[in-house]
Amino acid sequence: IGQEIVDTLGRVNSSGGYIASKHLLELGHRHIVALSAPWDEFHDRLAGYQKALNEYQAPFEPSYILTCDDCRYEEGYRVVTENLALFEQATAVYGLCDVLALGALNALKDHGFRIPEDISVIGYDGLDIGQLCRPELTSVAQPFQELAHFSVAKLLEISNAPKKKTIQAKTF
């Protein structure tokens, strides 16, 4: 049986979750709510969140992980609104994607919280839309442009030499 070698492209979502959580922890936050959704990459982002909490000896509260039905603005807004009492204790929110973080930020503002004076919010993705809100959303940016350039280069390489068997893994 011949061995087939495949090029892969991936991201290290746990690193981004760690970076976002570490940023909040270094600002002094110890009660960080995570807004998640049932997507595979969010499991990795939560692993990074938990790693940072452990490293900084911050309490891990399972009740601080709120799962939205999907990664949509409305879901971030809804979940925060339905759990307002939790945000009286929390000092920060980590939205595992910018869209959830933006929904959370606006829900908190609509319910009288001052951002960042009362509670801080950070997202993940680095989407341009985060620059349109006030205050501007802090976010861990994904290297979308670098991912796209690498992907196109690999496709061109493969299409120009279809019989060439190569392996290259690139993780961002």
Side-chain angles (χ1 to χ4, degrees), residues 11-166:
R11 296 173 304 196
V12 182
N13 284 295
S14 60
S15 294
Y18 174 82
I19 291 166
S21 303
K22 180 181 175 194
H23 174 73
L24 294 171
L25 290 159
E26 287 179 347
L27 291 174
H29 297 288
R30 292 296 178 265
H31 302 284
I32 303 168
V33 172
L35 293 183
S36 188
W39 293 7
D40 290 340
E41 63 264 28
F42 286 10
H43 297 293
D44 294 337
R45 293 176 191 182
L46 280 174
Y49 161 82
Q50 290 178 319
K51 178 182 176 187
L53 291 177
N54 288 338
E55 188 174 295
Y56 282 78
Q57 299 177 342
F60 171 71
E61 296 289 336
S63 64
Y64 277 23
I65 298 176
L66 302 178
T67 302
C68 301
D69 292 335
D70 198 359
C71 187
R72 295 181 302 124
Y73 171 89
E74 297 82 7
E75 281 296 298
Y77 193 99
R78 178 188 64 80
V79 167
V80 167
T81 301
E82 290 177 357
N83 293 279
L84 282 176
L86 181 64
F87 295 94
E88 294 294 337
Q89 303 155 17
T91 61
V93 178
Y94 165 38
L96 276 69
C97 70
D98 282 352
V99 177
L100 289 177
L102 289 169
L105 188 146
N106 283 337
L108 291 164
K109 285 174 68 173
D110 288 351
H111 288 92
F113 290 86
R114 296 171 303 145
I115 312 297
E117 295 84 2
D118 298 328
I119 191 164
S120 294
V121 180
I122 193 169
Y124 186 108
D125 286 326
L127 301 179
D128 290 341
I129 195 168
Q131 298 171 1
L132 300 177
C133 66
R134 295 294 174 257
E136 189 174 308
L137 180 66
T138 300
S139 181
V140 174
Q142 294 196 64
F144 291 121
Q145 212 167 25
E146 190 177 342
L147 284 164
H149 285 269
F150 180 82
S151 299
V152 170
K154 277 313 276 167
L155 287 172
L156 289 172
E157 179 184 319
I158 291 167
S159 68
N160 290 331
K163 301 208 184 280
K164 181 181 173 188
K165 290 190 176 188
T166 64

